[in-house]
Amino acid sequence: MSMRGVLRLAEVQMRVLDMAESKQHYGSRMGLHEMMTDDNGLVYFKAWAEHDHHSLVLREADCAGLDHIAFKVYDDATLADLEKKIIDFGIEVERVEAGVYPKSGQRLKFILPTGHEMHLFAEKEQVGNSLGTFNPDVIPDDEVCRGFRINALDHVFIVGPDADQNLKLFTEVFEFSYTERVIDGEGNTVLFFVSCSSRAHDIAFGVNPNPGLIHHVSFRLENPQDHIRAADLIGKYEIPVEMNDRHGVTQVKTVYYFDPSGNRNEVFCDGYTYYPDMPLLTWTMDELDHAAFSQSLHVPESFLAVYT
């Protein structure tokens, strides 16, 4: 698959209740690199392997949750083409000039049918991953790959009304592939998984009457050994754990846990490689235990009830 449209989830801005606690959680413990604090007090982080200046932004607020998600596209021509298509889809688009969002080029800003603010951009300052680009190193120094050894921001799972319209927007306008779904007893789809890459999903949507909620933000690990290390550190620091298991959906090895503000995080490894000619995989709600957690076959009550 030639990736020349929407490339990846490239930025998530989260609301946190206490910035000092959150910086310790995402920085000192998870191992993300703190890049800057802007004039408004927002704090910017990146994972070690990412080239862009940042992928996670934290804003201190009175309630936890999601401010926006942003996907990076191939170039400004792609951005202009998508602007017209989003408008034709029936969604209002605001064009934001370069520099309004730090280290970032011009953006498109709009509201998804599920009530979430989404951005598209083509340019962000690149700072590298410490390996270099000319005769690059193979592995980073220990102080670079640290904490949970997170490679990159990977995906988000958002919930709200009209999730089926999110699916239509992402597949018809952004040209994502529809990879997996969960249906209820009447055959209605309640969970949607879509991909713009070779991964099983780059974003997921769930049906919920309340708009703009997030289930989790997920970070990618390189291998099972790093997964074990992350789980050990989660225990060492007494970070609240929801589940350590394997998903049937996407087949990844996962740990779900909560940041100090109650936002759900995930770290994972493994999973299958996706190609656009693969069939849509369907799960049913009566087999949700297999779909969600295929080892323990247990879905915690909080997993379907806690959103921020």
Side-chain angles (χ1 to χ4, degrees), residues 131-150:
L131 301 181
T133 58
F134 187 77
N135 296 327
D137 290 330
V138 176
I139 60 172
D141 294 335
D142 289 342
E143 63 269 19
V144 174
C145 185
R146 61 189 189 179
F148 292 7
R149 297 177 179 166
I150 291 166

Side-chain angles (χ1 to χ4, degrees), residues 23-96:
K23 287 170 66 173
Q24 181 186 60
H25 174 80
Y26 288 99
S28 301
R29 292 178 173 173
M30 285 177 57
L32 301 178
H33 290 261
E34 184 178 337
M35 301 302 294
M36 63 175 280
T37 301
D38 70 15
D39 294 340
N40 296 313
L42 278 68
V43 182
Y44 297 73
F45 292 88
K46 73 181 290 290
W48 81 263
E50 295 169 331
H51 289 271
D52 284 355
H53 180 271
H54 61 270
S55 59
L56 177 69
V57 186
L58 301 182
R59 179 174 70 87
E60 193 170 60
D62 293 334
C63 64
L66 177 71
D67 277 343
H68 70 254
I69 60 174
F71 280 80
K72 195 172 189 181
V73 305
Y74 181 64
D75 56 16
D76 281 334
T78 304
L79 201 65
D81 179 58
L82 288 173
E83 180 178 22
K84 181 180 184 302
K85 290 179 178 179
I86 297 167
I87 293 171
D88 289 345
F89 186 83
I91 294 176
E92 294 184 5
V93 177
E94 177 185 348
R95 182 174 284 272
V96 182

